[in-house]
Amino acid sequence: MHALSLAFDTQRLAEKSEELSSDRQLFKRGKWLIDDLNISEGESVLDIGCGTGLLAEYVADIVGPAGSVTGIDPLPLRIDIARRKIRANLEFQVGNAYDLSEFPENHFDTVYLNAVFHWLGEKEQPLQQIHRVLKAGGHLGLNSGSKDHPFHLEKIRNRVLSKPPYNAFSESLSRFPHLVSVPELVWLLDRNQFSINKVEVQNNIFTLANPEDAIDFSHSSSFANFIGHLPEALRDSAMDEIKQELERLRTAEGIRLEGHRIVAIAAKK
Ligand SMILES: C[S@@+](CC[C@H](N)C(=O)[O-])C[C@H]1O[C@@H](n2cnc3c(N)ncnc32)[C@H](O)[C@@H]1O
């Protein structure tokens, strides 16, 4: 399994991610996750992989002045943008799901990851860390791409990059994101001392105006891991091949991308 690189992010991608999250489905799905978590006023909440902080800002309004929201993300450029939203009950730090040691144990009422779990190559360490920082009975909410029904774009990317000349670069053959199936997720949560309140598979449908928008979306949400490992000279041709495949998904409304998303709500045992 190849680790994702956190070194490909750029200011343009970070700004793009803010723009795309706000007017596209990622934020909407985040709000559904927050609805499922039933967060109340006064709660202390951790947003892992907060990106540019839009959802954390939304949650800060829910918990109000008596509560607090901390957003962490390993990409400093995204945290810089998130920090524009700072207020008394909302803070952001560069941080990583693999190391929550700066937070005390039994500290948060709720921890959530919106569109982040599938970027974690190894999933038990983050779950152990989350278990430690949650209060007893505290809630974990996450959504993840589904291994059984991956998103169209991931399938197209993997198909194109499996061919020469791209397959000469080993990262091309790594299947990412690191998707889970429902049984795997249930097993992971159970093994790491979470009781499951809900696991649901939802349709994940994004309609984007054109292939360029779809690629922009993939670049910013994968922090350029989509094709960022390829030498510069091969990137344009890889993009062209991906765009051609995307064109086949065109409907009257635009390029329709489908897959499944798994949503899980669990409580610390
Ligand atoms: C698709 S974006 C989602 C951002 C945000 N949650 C939202 O809803 O807009 C995925 C995020 O996961 C973050 N991420 C990747 N690896 C991570 C890790 N090991 N720990 C925490 N966050 C991580 C990325 O930096 C990126 O901001």
Side-chain angles (χ1 to χ4, degrees), residues 84-257:
R84 297 174 193 160
K85 305 174 178 77
I86 281 176
R87 47 186 137 115
N89 69 346
L90 177 59
E91 60 167 4
F92 295 100
Q93 300 169 23
V94 174
N96 202 303
Y98 290 98
D99 180 10
L100 302 181
S101 57
E102 72 194 277
F103 302 111
E105 58 185 79
N106 303 320
H107 184 68
F108 294 105
D109 298 290
T110 300
V111 176
Y112 67 86
L113 303 90
N114 183 45
V116 175
F117 200 65
H118 46 244
W119 296 116
L120 305 178
E122 196 288 318
K123 302 194 193 287
E124 288 213 61
Q125 192 179 335
L127 287 174
Q128 286 158 11
Q129 302 266 321
I130 292 167
H131 190 275
R132 188 186 67 77
V133 300
L134 269 177
K135 294 177 185 168
H139 287 112
L140 162 65
L142 62 88
N143 48 32
S144 169
S146 155
K147 192 186 262 182
D148 295 324
H149 297 277
F151 203 45
H152 270 139
L153 254 173
E154 289 146 20
K155 288 197 270 189
I156 291 174
R157 179 239 182 228
N158 291 340
R159 201 157 53 228
V160 169
L161 298 196
S162 303
K163 296 186 298 186
Y166 317 113
N167 61 358
F169 302 89
S170 56
E171 286 91 337
S172 291
L173 303 175
S174 63
R175 294 291 176 257
F176 85 84
H178 305 293
L179 305 173
V180 285
S181 65
V182 168
E184 283 168 356
L185 183 57
V186 167
W187 181 85
L188 278 166
L189 290 170
D190 184 55
R191 184 177 151 85
N192 289 286
Q193 304 301 313
F194 289 96
S195 56
I196 296 170
N197 298 353
K198 160 177 170 167
V199 176
E200 193 175 281
V201 179
Q202 299 173 349
N203 280 330
N204 194 23
I205 300 171
F206 282 63
T207 305
L208 296 144
N210 50 52
E212 288 73 19
D213 275 10
I215 286 178
D216 251 359
F217 171 74
S218 301
H219 270 312
S220 67
S221 64
S222 72
F223 19 105
N225 280 267
F226 194 59
I227 55 163
H229 64 285
L230 290 176
E232 194 119 21
L234 287 180
R235 285 190 206 152
D236 282 351
S237 60
M239 296 274 227
D240 285 346
E241 290 193 42
I242 291 170
K243 280 184 205 165
Q244 278 168 27
E245 292 225 19
L246 283 166
E247 267 303 341
R248 295 198 197 123
L249 303 175
R250 190 177 279 288
T251 64
E253 289 78 40
I255 308 291
R256 184 181 159 95
L257 301 169

Side-chain angles (χ1 to χ4, degrees), residues 4 6 9 17 21-22 26-27 30 47-55 72-75 78 95-99 112-121 126 217 220-223:
L4 291 161
L6 298 174
D9 202 30
S17 153
S21 301
S22 60
L26 210 59
F27 185 46
D47 178 333
I48 297 182
C50 63
T52 61
L54 281 167
L55 194 59
I72 63 165
D73 198 284
L75 299 175
R78 307 217 176 184
N96 202 303
Y98 290 98
D99 180 10
Y112 67 86
L113 303 90
N114 183 45
V116 175
F117 200 65
H118 46 244
W119 296 116
L120 305 178
F217 171 74
S220 67
S221 64
S222 72
F223 19 105

